[in-house]
Amino acid sequence: MRAVGYQDSLAIDAADALVDIQRPKPVAAGRDLLVQIQAVSVNPVDTKVRRRAKPEAGDWKILGYDASGTVVATGPDATLFQPGDTVFYAGDITRQGTNAELHLVDERIVGRKPKSLDWAQAAALPLTAITAWEALFDRLNVRQKVPGAAEAILIIGGAGGVASVAIQLARQLAGLTVIATASRPETRDWVRALGAHHVIDHSRPLAEQVAALGIGAPGFVFSTTNTDRHLAEIVELIAPQGRFGLIDDPVTLDIMPFKRKSVSVHWELMFTRPMFHTADMGAQGVLLNEVARLVDEGTLRTTIGENFGPIGAANLKRAHALIESGQARGKIVLEGFAA
Protein backbone atom coordinates (compact mmCIF):
# COMPACT_ATOMS: atom_id res chain seq x y z
CA MET A 1 0.00 0.00 0.00
CA ARG A 2 1.04 3.61 -0.50
CA ALA A 3 1.94 5.69 2.54
CA VAL A 4 3.97 8.70 3.63
CA GLY A 5 6.63 8.26 6.32
CA TYR A 6 10.06 9.24 7.58
CA GLN A 7 13.14 7.58 9.04
CA ASP A 8 14.81 10.55 10.70
CA SER A 9 13.52 13.61 12.57
CA LEU A 10 14.30 16.48 10.23
CA ALA A 11 13.28 20.07 9.55
CA ILE A 12 10.31 20.14 7.20
CA ASP A 13 12.34 21.73 4.39
CA ALA A 14 14.72 18.73 4.32
CA ALA A 15 14.29 16.48 1.28
CA ASP A 16 13.63 13.37 3.42
CA ALA A 17 11.49 15.01 6.11
CA LEU A 18 8.50 13.12 4.65
CA VAL A 19 8.76 10.51 1.89
CA ASP A 20 6.34 8.58 -0.33
CA ILE A 21 6.78 4.88 0.49
CA GLN A 22 5.25 1.43 -0.04
CA ARG A 23 4.33 -0.71 3.00
CA PRO A 24 2.72 -4.14 3.49
CA LYS A 25 -1.05 -4.30 3.80
CA PRO A 26 -2.05 -4.38 7.50
CA VAL A 27 -4.18 -7.22 8.89
CA ALA A 28 -6.96 -6.58 11.41
CA ALA A 29 -6.74 -8.48 14.72
CA GLY A 30 -8.57 -8.23 18.04
CA ARG A 31 -10.96 -5.27 18.05
CA ASP A 32 -9.22 -3.49 15.18
CA LEU A 33 -10.86 -2.15 12.07
CA LEU A 34 -8.97 -2.00 8.78
CA VAL A 35 -10.00 1.29 7.20
CA GLN A 36 -9.49 2.43 3.63
CA ILE A 37 -8.44 6.05 4.11
CA GLN A 38 -10.34 8.62 2.07
CA ALA A 39 -9.13 11.86 3.71
CA VAL A 40 -6.87 13.01 6.52
CA SER A 41 -6.20 16.27 8.30
CA VAL A 42 -2.95 17.58 9.75
CA ASN A 43 -2.58 18.74 13.34
CA PRO A 44 0.20 20.37 15.38
CA VAL A 45 0.83 16.97 16.98
CA ASP A 46 1.93 15.65 13.57
CA THR A 47 4.70 18.25 13.42
CA LYS A 48 5.71 17.66 17.05
CA VAL A 49 6.01 13.90 16.60
CA ARG A 50 7.96 14.34 13.36
CA ARG A 51 10.48 16.57 15.12
CA ARG A 52 10.81 14.44 18.27
CA ALA A 53 10.09 10.77 17.55
CA LYS A 54 12.63 8.89 15.43
CA PRO A 55 11.68 5.33 14.44
CA GLU A 56 13.90 2.30 14.97
CA ALA A 57 16.83 2.10 12.57
CA GLY A 58 15.67 0.97 9.14
CA ASP A 59 11.98 1.34 10.02
CA TRP A 60 9.46 3.95 8.91
CA LYS A 61 7.24 6.16 11.05
CA ILE A 62 3.87 7.00 9.51
CA LEU A 63 2.12 10.07 10.92
CA GLY A 64 -1.54 11.07 10.79
CA TYR A 65 -4.02 11.34 13.64
CA ASP A 66 -7.24 12.22 11.84
CA ALA A 67 -9.07 10.32 9.14
CA SER A 68 -12.30 9.53 7.43
CA GLY A 69 -12.73 6.35 5.46
CA THR A 70 -14.49 3.06 4.83
CA VAL A 71 -14.17 -0.11 6.91
CA VAL A 72 -12.87 -2.92 4.67
CA ALA A 73 -12.20 -5.62 7.30
CA THR A 74 -12.65 -6.21 11.04
CA GLY A 75 -10.75 -8.15 13.65
CA PRO A 76 -12.35 -11.27 15.17
CA ASP A 77 -13.36 -9.44 18.36
CA ALA A 78 -14.82 -6.35 16.70
CA THR A 79 -18.58 -5.94 17.14
CA LEU A 80 -19.38 -2.26 16.58
CA PHE A 81 -18.73 -1.96 12.82
CA GLN A 82 -18.73 -4.06 9.69
CA PRO A 83 -17.20 -3.76 6.22
CA GLY A 84 -18.78 -0.96 4.23
CA ASP A 85 -19.36 1.35 7.21
CA THR A 86 -18.11 4.91 6.78
CA VAL A 87 -16.23 6.21 9.80
CA PHE A 88 -14.11 9.03 11.20
CA TYR A 89 -11.62 9.01 14.07
CA ALA A 90 -8.38 10.41 15.51
CA GLY A 91 -6.38 7.25 16.14
CA ASP A 92 -3.75 6.33 18.70
CA ILE A 93 -0.40 8.14 18.96
CA THR A 94 1.37 4.89 19.94
CA ARG A 95 0.51 3.22 16.60
CA GLN A 96 1.23 3.91 12.95
CA GLY A 97 -0.81 6.78 11.58
CA THR A 98 -3.39 7.52 8.93
CA ASN A 99 -1.14 8.88 6.15
CA ALA A 100 -1.59 5.58 4.32
CA GLU A 101 -4.07 3.90 2.02
CA LEU A 102 -5.06 1.39 4.73
CA HIS A 103 -5.00 1.89 8.50
CA LEU A 104 -5.66 -0.16 11.65
CA VAL A 105 -7.63 1.42 14.51
CA ASP A 106 -9.35 0.09 17.63
CA GLU A 107 -13.09 0.27 17.04
CA ARG A 108 -13.73 1.78 20.48
CA ILE A 109 -12.27 5.14 19.43
CA VAL A 110 -14.12 5.29 16.10
CA GLY A 111 -17.33 7.12 15.24
CA ARG A 112 -19.73 6.92 12.32
CA LYS A 113 -18.98 9.61 9.75
CA PRO A 114 -21.50 12.49 9.68
CA LYS A 115 -23.84 11.86 6.76
CA SER A 116 -23.99 15.54 5.84
CA LEU A 117 -20.23 15.94 5.38
CA ASP A 118 -17.95 14.82 2.58
CA TRP A 119 -14.72 12.94 3.31
CA ALA A 120 -12.54 16.02 3.68
CA GLN A 121 -15.01 17.88 5.86
CA ALA A 122 -15.35 14.87 8.14
CA ALA A 123 -11.58 14.31 8.41
CA ALA A 124 -11.18 17.84 9.76
CA LEU A 125 -13.13 17.09 12.93
CA PRO A 126 -12.14 14.06 15.06
CA LEU A 127 -8.96 15.06 16.92
CA THR A 128 -10.03 18.64 17.53
CA ALA A 129 -13.58 17.66 18.47
CA ILE A 130 -12.39 15.06 20.98
CA THR A 131 -9.82 17.44 22.44
CA ALA A 132 -12.24 20.33 22.76
CA TRP A 133 -15.04 18.13 24.16
CA GLU A 134 -12.83 16.43 26.75
CA ALA A 135 -11.24 19.73 27.75
CA LEU A 136 -14.55 21.52 28.26
CA PHE A 137 -16.79 18.79 29.65
CA ASP A 138 -14.44 16.21 31.22
CA ARG A 139 -11.65 18.45 32.53
CA LEU A 140 -13.07 21.97 33.05
CA ASN A 141 -16.62 20.74 33.72
CA VAL A 142 -18.00 23.93 32.21
CA ARG A 143 -21.61 22.95 32.88
CA GLN A 144 -20.95 23.45 36.60
CA LYS A 145 -20.90 27.16 37.34
CA VAL A 146 -18.12 28.93 39.22
CA PRO A 147 -19.80 30.84 42.11
CA GLY A 148 -19.85 34.58 41.46
CA ALA A 149 -17.97 34.36 38.18
CA ALA A 150 -19.18 35.49 34.79
CA GLU A 151 -20.66 32.54 32.90
CA ALA A 152 -18.00 33.04 30.29
CA ILE A 153 -14.93 31.33 28.87
CA LEU A 154 -11.81 32.86 27.38
CA ILE A 155 -10.40 30.69 24.57
CA ILE A 156 -6.82 31.58 23.67
CA GLY A 157 -5.76 30.90 20.07
CA GLY A 158 -9.31 31.09 18.78
CA ALA A 159 -8.64 30.37 15.11
CA GLY A 160 -6.76 27.11 15.70
CA GLY A 161 -8.31 23.74 15.07
CA VAL A 162 -9.17 22.81 18.67
CA ALA A 163 -10.33 26.31 19.57
CA SER A 164 -12.53 26.43 16.46
CA VAL A 165 -14.51 23.49 17.83
CA ALA A 166 -14.35 24.70 21.45
CA ILE A 167 -15.97 28.01 20.51
CA GLN A 168 -18.94 26.15 19.07
CA LEU A 169 -19.27 23.68 21.94
CA ALA A 170 -18.98 26.36 24.62
CA ARG A 171 -21.68 28.48 23.03
CA GLN A 172 -24.05 25.85 21.64
CA LEU A 173 -23.91 23.16 24.34
CA ALA A 174 -22.75 24.98 27.47
CA GLY A 175 -24.47 28.33 26.90
CA LEU A 176 -21.36 30.28 27.87
CA THR A 177 -20.39 33.74 26.72
CA VAL A 178 -17.38 33.07 24.52
CA ILE A 179 -14.38 35.39 24.40
CA ALA A 180 -11.88 34.28 21.76
CA THR A 181 -8.46 35.67 20.92
CA ALA A 182 -7.38 36.50 17.37
CA SER A 183 -5.00 39.10 16.01
CA ARG A 184 -5.49 39.22 12.23
CA PRO A 185 -8.61 40.42 10.35
CA GLU A 186 -9.17 37.01 8.74
CA THR A 187 -8.87 35.11 12.02
CA ARG A 188 -11.09 37.60 13.83
CA ASP A 189 -13.74 37.05 11.14
CA TRP A 190 -13.27 33.28 11.46
CA VAL A 191 -13.89 33.13 15.22
CA ARG A 192 -16.89 35.45 14.97
CA ALA A 193 -18.40 33.21 12.29
CA LEU A 194 -17.96 30.23 14.62
CA GLY A 195 -19.94 31.99 17.35
CA ALA A 196 -17.54 33.97 19.54
CA HIS A 197 -19.42 36.78 21.33
CA HIS A 198 -16.28 38.85 21.85
CA VAL A 199 -12.87 38.86 20.13
CA ILE A 200 -9.73 40.24 21.77
CA ASP A 201 -6.16 40.52 20.51
CA HIS A 202 -3.67 38.03 21.96
CA SER A 203 -0.76 40.23 20.88
CA ARG A 204 -1.84 42.72 23.58
CA PRO A 205 -2.31 42.22 27.35
CA LEU A 206 -5.40 40.06 27.87
CA ALA A 207 -6.60 41.06 31.34
CA GLU A 208 -7.21 44.70 30.45
CA GLN A 209 -9.15 43.72 27.32
CA VAL A 210 -11.33 41.23 29.21
CA ALA A 211 -12.06 43.79 31.94
CA ALA A 212 -13.08 46.34 29.29
CA LEU A 213 -15.84 44.00 28.08
CA GLY A 214 -17.73 44.75 31.30
CA ILE A 215 -19.03 41.21 31.79
CA GLY A 216 -16.97 40.35 34.88
CA ALA A 217 -14.21 37.82 35.46
CA PRO A 218 -14.72 34.63 33.42
CA GLY A 219 -15.01 31.40 35.33
CA PHE A 220 -13.11 29.44 32.70
CA VAL A 221 -10.01 29.90 30.57
CA PHE A 222 -8.95 27.41 27.89
CA SER A 223 -5.48 28.00 26.41
CA THR A 224 -4.58 26.20 23.19
CA THR A 225 -1.28 27.94 22.39
CA ASN A 226 1.45 30.14 23.89
CA THR A 227 0.30 29.44 27.44
CA ASP A 228 3.63 30.44 28.94
CA ARG A 229 3.41 33.85 27.26
CA HIS A 230 -0.08 34.54 28.65
CA LEU A 231 0.08 32.86 32.06
CA ALA A 232 0.44 36.02 34.18
CA GLU A 233 -2.50 37.61 32.36
CA ILE A 234 -4.62 34.49 32.89
CA VAL A 235 -3.85 34.57 36.62
CA GLU A 236 -5.03 38.17 36.73
CA LEU A 237 -8.22 37.86 34.67
CA ILE A 238 -9.70 34.52 35.80
CA ALA A 239 -12.34 34.52 38.55
CA PRO A 240 -11.56 33.20 42.03
CA GLN A 241 -12.24 29.43 42.12
CA GLY A 242 -12.13 29.42 38.34
CA ARG A 243 -10.92 26.51 36.22
CA PHE A 244 -8.03 26.75 33.78
CA GLY A 245 -7.28 24.23 31.04
CA LEU A 246 -4.49 23.93 28.50
CA ILE A 247 -3.32 21.64 25.71
CA ASP A 248 0.01 23.03 24.55
CA ASP A 249 3.53 22.25 25.76
CA PRO A 250 5.09 25.07 27.81
CA VAL A 251 8.74 24.46 28.63
CA THR A 252 7.86 25.32 32.22
CA LEU A 253 4.52 26.04 33.90
CA ASP A 254 4.59 27.74 37.29
CA ILE A 255 1.06 27.40 38.63
CA MET A 256 1.82 28.74 42.12
CA PRO A 257 0.30 32.18 41.31
CA PHE A 258 -3.09 30.46 40.94
CA LYS A 259 -3.08 29.39 44.58
CA ARG A 260 -4.45 32.61 46.06
CA LYS A 261 -7.49 32.32 43.79
CA SER A 262 -7.90 28.54 44.33
CA VAL A 263 -7.86 28.08 40.57
CA SER A 264 -7.69 24.47 39.39
CA VAL A 265 -5.44 23.55 36.48
CA HIS A 266 -6.36 20.86 33.97
CA TRP A 267 -4.29 19.26 31.22
CA GLU A 268 -5.99 17.68 28.23
CA LEU A 269 -4.43 15.14 25.86
CA MET A 270 -6.97 13.30 23.75
CA PHE A 271 -4.57 10.37 23.26
CA THR A 272 -4.61 9.47 26.97
CA ARG A 273 -7.56 7.08 26.73
CA PRO A 274 -6.25 4.98 23.78
CA MET A 275 -2.63 5.23 24.96
CA PHE A 276 -3.41 3.67 28.34
CA HIS A 277 -6.45 1.63 27.29
CA THR A 278 -8.42 3.28 30.08
CA ALA A 279 -11.61 1.70 31.35
CA ASP A 280 -13.59 4.44 29.60
CA MET A 281 -11.67 4.27 26.31
CA GLY A 282 -14.93 3.67 24.45
CA ALA A 283 -16.14 7.12 25.50
CA GLN A 284 -14.31 8.53 22.50
CA GLY A 285 -16.37 6.51 20.07
CA VAL A 286 -19.55 7.60 21.83
CA LEU A 287 -18.34 11.19 21.76
CA LEU A 288 -17.65 11.07 18.02
CA ASN A 289 -21.09 9.63 17.33
CA GLU A 290 -22.60 12.53 19.28
CA VAL A 291 -20.47 15.00 17.30
CA ALA A 292 -21.74 13.41 14.08
CA ARG A 293 -25.34 13.79 15.27
CA LEU A 294 -24.79 17.45 16.19
CA VAL A 295 -23.20 18.11 12.80
CA ASP A 296 -26.02 16.42 10.91
CA GLU A 297 -28.64 18.42 12.80
CA GLY A 298 -26.80 21.69 12.10
CA THR A 299 -25.65 22.49 15.63
CA LEU A 300 -21.93 22.10 14.86
CA ARG A 301 -20.01 22.82 11.67
CA THR A 302 -16.81 21.43 10.25
CA THR A 303 -13.71 23.55 10.82
CA ILE A 304 -11.96 22.79 7.54
CA GLY A 305 -9.70 25.65 6.54
CA GLU A 306 -7.86 24.51 3.39
CA ASN A 307 -7.80 21.40 1.21
CA PHE A 308 -4.25 20.73 0.02
CA GLY A 309 -5.20 18.03 -2.49
CA PRO A 310 -4.10 14.37 -2.63
CA ILE A 311 -2.33 12.61 0.24
CA GLY A 312 1.38 12.55 -0.56
CA ALA A 313 4.73 13.68 0.78
CA ALA A 314 4.81 17.00 -1.10
CA ASN A 315 1.37 18.12 0.07
CA LEU A 316 1.96 16.90 3.62
CA LYS A 317 5.21 18.86 3.77
CA ARG A 318 3.29 21.98 2.72
CA ALA A 319 0.76 21.35 5.49
CA HIS A 320 3.45 20.80 8.15
CA ALA A 321 5.22 23.99 7.07
CA LEU A 322 2.02 26.06 7.32
CA ILE A 323 1.22 24.70 10.78
CA GLU A 324 4.76 25.36 11.98
CA SER A 325 4.47 28.95 10.71
CA GLY A 326 1.62 29.61 13.15
CA GLN A 327 -0.51 31.07 10.34
CA ALA A 328 -2.97 28.21 9.83
CA ARG A 329 -6.68 28.91 10.24
CA GLY A 330 -8.95 25.98 10.93
CA LYS A 331 -7.88 22.54 9.70
CA ILE A 332 -5.73 21.55 6.73
CA VAL A 333 -7.04 18.46 4.96
CA LEU A 334 -5.77 16.14 2.22
CA GLU A 335 -8.02 13.86 0.25
CA GLY A 336 -7.37 10.65 -1.70
CA PHE A 337 -4.13 9.45 -3.26
CA ALA A 338 -2.88 10.66 -6.63
CA ALA A 339 -3.57 8.21 -9.48
Side-chain angles (χ1 to χ4, degrees):
M1 68 169 184
R2 288 176 291 180
V4 178
Y6 69 93
Q7 292 186 308
D8 200 2
S9 295
L10 301 170
I12 197 57
D13 58 357
D16 295 334
L18 294 171
V19 181
D20 292 307
I21 59 175
Q22 288 283 337
R23 300 298 290 162
K25 177 181 176 180
V27 177
R31 296 192 68 173
D32 277 350
L33 308 177
L34 181 63
V35 179
Q36 181 179 348
I37 299 298
Q38 303 290 347
V40 300
S41 67
V42 184
N43 296 278
V45 66
D46 296 65
T47 70
K48 294 174 184 176
V49 173
R50 191 200 80 245
R51 295 194 303 264
R52 300 173 187 174
K54 182 177 178 179
E56 294 289 333
D59 201 0
W60 292 92
K61 175 70 175 174
I62 299 172
L63 299 171
Y65 306 104
D66 260 332
S68 61
T70 305
V71 177
V72 295
T74 63
D77 301 323
T79 60
L80 302 177
F81 298 91
Q82 57 187 346
D85 288 342
T86 58
V87 296
F88 73 147
Y89 58 90
D92 179 345
I93 200 169
T94 66
R95 305 181 70 176
Q96 293 283 41
T98 58
N99 294 337
E101 289 183 293
L102 295 166
H103 182 250
L104 292 173
V105 61
D106 190 299
E107 66 172 355
R108 287 170 288 184
I109 58 174
V110 174
R112 296 185 180 275
K113 171 186 163 293
K115 296 177 182 178
S116 59
L117 299 184
D118 62 26
W119 296 115
Q121 292 168 331
L125 277 172
L127 186 147
T128 52
I130 294 170
T131 302
W133 189 293
E134 290 184 350
L136 295 181
F137 301 120
D138 296 346
R139 315 293 175 232
L140 293 177
N141 193 15
V142 295
R143 290 191 174 107
Q144 181 179 333
K145 298 178 182 179
V146 175
E151 294 182 26
I153 185 169
L154 170 64
I155 299 176
I156 298 172
V162 171
S164 294
V165 179
I167 289 168
Q168 299 180 72
L169 294 176
R171 177 163 183 164
Q172 299 296 335
L173 300 191
L176 294 172
T177 296
V178 178
I179 311 161
T181 76
S183 61
R184 293 176 285 136
E186 60 269 29
T187 54
R188 294 173 71 88
D189 290 344
W190 173 266
V191 298
R192 285 194 182 98
L194 291 170
H197 297 86
H198 305 284
V199 184
I200 63 175
D201 186 346
H202 48 238
S203 68
R204 297 168 44 216
L206 300 179
E208 180 181 341
Q209 295 179 78
V210 170
L213 298 175
I215 62 174
F220 309 100
V221 176
F222 180 33
S223 180
T224 67
T225 186
N226 294 314
T227 296
D228 47 357
R229 183 192 307 171
H230 300 298
L231 195 64
E233 293 287 318
I234 295 167
V235 170
E236 181 178 349
L237 68 87
I238 196 169
Q241 302 186 92
R243 299 193 280 279
F244 168 55
L246 70 158
I247 61 170
D248 61 330
D249 303 298
V251 175
T252 61
L253 188 71
D254 180 8
I255 63 173
M256 279 299 295
F258 285 119
K259 182 177 180 179
R260 62 188 294 269
K261 285 187 172 179
S262 296
V263 168
S264 57
V265 178
H266 305 263
W267 284 96
E268 161 60 21
L269 178 66
M270 59 79 49
F271 293 118
T272 297
R273 281 170 162 153
M275 187 187 306
F276 293 99
H277 283 250
T278 61
D280 62 348
M281 177 175 166
Q284 289 194 344
V286 174
L287 186 165
L288 285 174
N289 285 333
E290 178 63 6
V291 168
R293 184 188 70 81
L294 292 167
V295 168
D296 286 339
E297 72 175 21
T299 300
L300 299 179
R301 53 171 274 195
T302 183
T303 56
I304 186 171
E306 296 186 68
N307 188 325
F308 273 22
I311 302 166
N315 285 339
L316 281 166
K317 288 177 73 173
R318 288 175 55 217
H320 279 234
L322 181 55
I323 288 174
E324 290 178 356
S325 76
Q327 300 299 304
R329 182 191 65 182
K331 294 295 291 294
I332 302 167
V333 300
L334 294 87
E335 186 173 10
F337 283 80

